[in-house]
Amino acid sequence: MSRFFTTGSDSESESSLSGDEQVAKPVGGNFGKQPLILSEDEEDTKRVVRSAKDKRFEELTNLIKTIRNAMKIRDVTKCLEEFELLGKAYGKAKSIVDKEGVPRFYIRILADLEDYLNELWEDKEGKKKMNKNNAKALSTLRQKIRKYNRDYETQITSYRQNPEQSADEDDEKKSDDSEGSSSMDEDDDDGMGAAAFLKKKEGAGEGRGKFLKKIEDEDEEEEDSDDDEDWGSSDSESDSESDEDEGKYTSLASRFLKKTGTEEDKRVLEKKREEKAKKKQDRKSKRYEDDEDDNESGEWEKVKGGVPLVKEKPKMFAKGTEINHAVVVKKLNEILQARGKKGTDRAAQIELLQLLVGIAAENNLGVPIDVKIKFNIVASLYDYNPNLATYMKPEMWQKCLSCIDELMNILFEQPNIFIGENIAEDSENLSNNEQPYRVRGCILTLVERMDEEFTKIMQNTDPHSQEYVDHLKDEGRVCKIIDRVQNYLQDKGTTEEICRVYLRRILHTYYKFDYKAHQRQQGPAGDSKSEQDQAENEAEDSAVLMERLCKFIYARDRTDRIRTCAILCHIYHHALHDRWYQARDLMLMSHLQDNIQHADPPVQILYNRTMVQLGICAFRQGMIKDAHNALLDIQSSGRAKELLGQGLLMRSMQERNQEQEKIEKRRQVPFHMHINLELLECVYLVSAMLLEIPYMAAHEFDARRRMISKQFHHQLRVGERQPLLGPPESMREHVVAASKAMKMGDWKTCHRFIVNEKMNGKVWDLFPEADKVRSMLVRKIQEESLRTYLFTYSSVYDSISMEILSDMFELDLPTVHSIISKMIINEELMASLDQPTQTVVMHRTEPTSQQNLALQLAEKLGSLVENNERVFDQKQGIYGGYFRDQKDGYRKNEGGYLRRGGYRQQERQSNY
């Protein structure tokens, strides 16, 4: 029903149309007591007139509330969206902000958001777990907030210095704004005076103080109830009092002014206050007495707030329980049943097992029960990280090593204890002294898992940090444990277990260069300075150790994988110590290259590492062609880093998903086992240069010449494309510059580019016998430069003295004679040797450049005719034609007569 149909005067309707829907009773008149009859819709919805400032600030506070909610749930994407909206809303409120100043709550959210983002940014583990959208939003929002906060640096600094004061000022400002707007409305509607407004403001201040006050105990709730009893009354009483008061006051303002109480009223209030204080004191004394009674009973203890309570150790057994083998085994099984379940505290489980060891030792239950519990402790340490990718924490790792050491000490001290995986739990003997003790467990499995954990720790540690060096020191301890297990299993283990532990020993030995053995090979060692040096000199050579371990595996192993790994490690060790012929023969006899593609990825990585080491060994021995062939597959792929297990290449996400990337990271070789990739590439490029440059000079005009090394040609093309040729800086530029010098027959310049201080520091000094390698390189450069010179300039000479060639290339005369003789025998050089005069006489069969071009044209025409005949025969359905018996068109001989030595007589008669 509309308000215009209600009974009442005009003044009532006007007052009801005011901004506040509360109906005010006019002073005097009989119509004020009749209530207005309003419809339900009009009673529910109240019209509120708000200023533009309130509207803008409310919009800002709502956005800030949304941002804070998003911060709580770590939704950075939502924070970014709301922050952009907040900036736009603040831009709309710019005119109000210019008048009133920047609101404190706005400064607070800017400071808090920046601190929150910095905290997220520093949390590296949390960043890894973020999804892609959140991580992207984090970096974007961090940049935006840092840029945005530059305009408010002073306000943010003051807020951070005293955040509580800023909060108080903000609350005061908000209360002033809300009270100011409400007072304006009430003044317009009801004619409220200034005294009532001031009274409200005081009440608001008291309310804020009450909110910030710290609550000490629960008595305040009871005091509030007492206050309600003192001050409060029923609704009917308040209504009657208001009706009675209407006649007392002549104006509305006088009704709301502060009243001055009489002396009697003051005395009554004072009496009530005394009674309340007395009641409060009685309650406190009663509570204190109760606490003392509890303390006397010994159940409760009063402590100061903030002091952490010391946790008592969990009680393993009930009081008075007889501790025997059966009880301990039962408790052990109870603890192990919780293993792997969701919500199980793994650290607490390890503590319980260690406590159980102590209890067993206190009650003298014997060594076998200790062995059984220690097996389970080590297994629990391995299970502490449920994820395969994560590695053990340093304290857990040290615990694991100590526990395995203790276990090995017990097994060596007690030879009558037999352990094995095949021992069932029912057939275990932990207490009967008359029979041998039998405990279920496998020490080899624990040691293999320990070795894998060590590899994982090395993979996940920064290789350039001191932490990596500290972890690497543990390898000596790991090798010692493996050695002890090997000695134990040689007496009590099966052949299969011995092969497995031998392989672990091989894997920790094959990649290490034995400097002591190398020094003994060089000459007498002399007097050692310390006993440790003497012991190391007298110790078994790594070559003898590898030979003994690998031969046992070759003879006894029944699994192909262990034998394959042993062969590859043996070849690697031979190659590392310059035993080229043994390494080459072992590789060829094993025939691993035929079926290695069917092996699992870790074995393939080991094969690639072995082939690379074989190639480097061949290079050190001066076998340039063998070195190039061994390194060709790895270097030509362009993925040497990935194939050697030394890192992942950046590929598109389509080729490798996140799960595959995790698997490949677990296959990576630890940094201390890496092969230097720059040294590898340099060895390959220098080998390719020594083979390719003479070949290019010999087949300069051959249209069908093949490439020996595509990568080397690529580097040459890159060098030719450079517009400005400066002095070489990188290793590749040095090799390219040396190749250009060798092409001209200038061996000294070539030598200067290959062997210099920069190249020595990067590559050559990394070899064990660097001087021997450098002298080999100089000799090879001289020999290949001589061959290149003869190929390039043979058409210029009628004859040339070998003595002159010997002086030019600083080679002795027999070497020059040998090189030229080989070239003549292989028909690479059309010449003959005149022994009395020691000269090389050139045969004038070399075609001129015009003849070479004519021969190339004839060859191209022949191939064109052949293709034309093939197309014609295919259309006719017959293919038999003129060229069916000829492999290379009109040329029956592979070399053709474009070879540098001139064309032979039988090729002159070719019909084309």
Side-chain angles (χ1 to χ4, degrees), residues 267-280:
R267 280 198 300 274
V268 171
L269 287 172
E270 190 68 31
K271 191 176 180 181
K272 287 183 178 178
R273 281 182 193 140
E274 287 176 2
E275 288 175 359
K276 275 197 298 179
K278 191 177 180 182
K279 285 179 185 177
K280 186 176 179 182

Side-chain angles (χ1 to χ4, degrees), residues 332 336 339 353 371-381:
L332 176 63
L336 294 179
R339 179 178 168 189
L353 290 170
V371 171
K372 184 174 178 62
I373 299 171
K374 283 182 184 295
F375 267 115
N376 289 294
I377 289 174
V378 178
S380 299
L381 286 168

Side-chain angles (χ1 to χ4, degrees), residues 275-290:
E275 288 175 359
K276 275 197 298 179
K278 191 177 180 182
K279 285 179 185 177
K280 186 176 179 182
Q281 189 65 29
D282 291 342
R283 280 194 299 270
K284 281 189 177 178
S285 60
K286 188 179 179 183
R287 184 176 296 159
Y288 185 70
E289 287 171 4
D290 293 341

Side-chain angles (χ1 to χ4, degrees), residues 187-214:
D187 286 344
D188 293 342
D189 301 337
D190 305 330
M192 186 184 288
F197 176 76
L198 290 171
K199 178 87 181 234
K200 273 194 173 185
K201 191 167 185 181
E202 287 170 11
E206 289 169 8
R208 184 179 67 252
K210 188 175 180 182
F211 178 76
L212 293 174
K213 185 178 178 184
K214 187 176 180 180

Side-chain angles (χ1 to χ4, degrees), residues 320-358:
T321 306
E322 184 184 355
I323 308 297
N324 54 29
H325 291 87
V327 172
V328 172
V329 171
K330 184 180 177 183
K331 177 58 73 172
L332 176 63
N333 291 331
E334 284 178 14
I335 296 170
L336 294 179
Q337 279 172 5
R339 179 178 168 189
K341 289 184 179 178
K342 190 175 181 182
T344 304
D345 187 355
R346 298 180 186 86
Q349 202 175 25
I350 294 166
E351 288 178 11
L352 288 174
L353 290 170
Q354 289 173 340
L355 191 60
L356 197 60
V357 171

Side-chain angles (χ1 to χ4, degrees), residues 409-683:
N409 291 336
I410 294 171
L411 291 175
F412 276 113
E413 289 168 5
Q414 303 287 336
N416 59 336
I417 297 177
F418 291 94
I419 58 171
E421 285 178 317
N422 53 354
I423 297 173
E425 290 188 1
D426 299 338
S427 61
E428 282 183 326
N429 178 24
L430 303 175
S431 55
N432 190 356
N433 297 330
E434 297 175 359
Q435 297 177 358
Y437 293 116
R438 291 163 63 82
V439 181
R440 178 178 172 80
C442 181
I443 189 66
L444 180 57
T445 306
L446 296 184
V447 170
E448 285 178 337
R449 182 70 190 273
M450 174 200 70
D451 196 23
E452 290 169 8
E453 288 293 337
F454 176 72
T455 305
K456 245 193 285 187
I457 289 171
M458 303 311 293
Q459 285 171 345
N460 289 279
T461 309
D462 179 15
H464 305 291
S465 64
Q466 182 61 33
E467 187 183 1
Y468 191 90
V469 179
D470 296 337
H471 285 316
L472 193 56
K473 290 175 183 175
D474 289 335
E475 195 191 9
R477 200 170 168 189
V478 171
C479 291
K480 191 179 286 185
I481 290 172
I482 292 172
D483 193 21
R484 294 184 72 187
V485 173
Q486 175 188 329
N487 294 334
Y488 179 78
L489 291 176
Q490 281 173 352
D491 295 335
K492 296 189 176 182
T494 63
T495 306
E496 183 186 351
E497 288 177 333
I498 294 172
C499 289
R500 282 164 61 190
V501 76
Y502 276 7
L503 181 63
R504 288 288 157 187
R505 185 81 187 276
I506 288 167
L507 289 173
H508 279 277
T509 309
Y510 81 97
Y511 62 90
K512 295 173 184 172
F513 188 80
D514 194 347
Y515 283 97
K516 297 291 181 184
H518 180 68
Q519 288 173 4
R520 284 196 290 272
Q521 286 178 0
Q522 296 299 316
D527 296 333
S528 298
K529 294 182 180 179
S530 65
E531 294 179 1
Q532 185 180 357
D533 290 339
Q534 289 179 357
E536 287 180 359
N537 284 328
E538 291 171 3
E540 188 178 18
D541 280 356
S542 61
V544 178
L545 175 67
M546 289 288 292
E547 189 83 15
R548 178 168 59 83
L549 299 179
C550 290
K551 282 189 174 178
F552 182 88
I553 291 175
Y554 300 158
R556 304 289 183 86
D557 180 58
R558 296 176 184 174
T559 62
D560 288 338
R561 190 182 186 280
I562 292 179
R563 187 167 60 253
T564 302
C565 290
I567 291 171
L568 291 172
C569 292
H570 202 183
I571 295 168
Y572 190 105
H573 194 264
H574 278 317
L576 190 64
H577 293 82
D578 288 334
R579 295 189 287 270
W580 156 251
Y581 291 105
Q582 292 96 312
R584 184 197 64 180
D585 295 345
L586 190 55
M587 175 61 81
L588 293 175
M589 286 190 295
S590 64
H591 296 285
L592 288 177
Q593 59 272 23
D594 298 336
N595 53 8
I596 194 65
Q597 66 271 15
H598 303 301
D600 55 340
V603 177
Q604 289 186 20
I605 289 172
L606 181 58
Y607 174 79
N608 293 336
R609 285 166 53 79
T610 304
M611 287 303 297
V612 162
Q613 199 60 247
L614 203 58
I616 295 172
C617 173
F619 181 82
R620 287 197 299 264
Q621 298 298 313
M623 314 284 183
I624 302 299
K625 195 165 187 179
D626 292 322
H628 181 269
N629 291 337
L631 300 176
L632 181 62
D633 290 337
I634 301 294
Q635 286 298 122
S636 61
S637 65
R639 298 186 300 128
K641 187 177 183 180
E642 190 174 359
L643 292 174
L644 295 174
Q646 296 181 188
L648 299 179
L649 297 176
M650 295 299 293
R651 291 186 187 173
S652 62
M653 293 303 291
Q654 297 171 353
E655 293 186 20
R656 184 196 296 127
N657 57 30
Q658 196 171 4
E659 194 61 34
Q660 287 175 334
E661 192 170 347
K662 284 181 183 177
I663 293 169
E664 289 187 18
K665 279 182 179 177
R666 289 201 293 270
R667 294 176 186 150
Q668 300 303 300
V669 177
F671 183 76
H672 63 280
M673 297 170 65
H674 281 195
I675 296 169
N676 191 320
L677 293 176
E678 190 173 17
L679 180 143
L680 174 62
E681 187 178 9
C682 181
V683 166

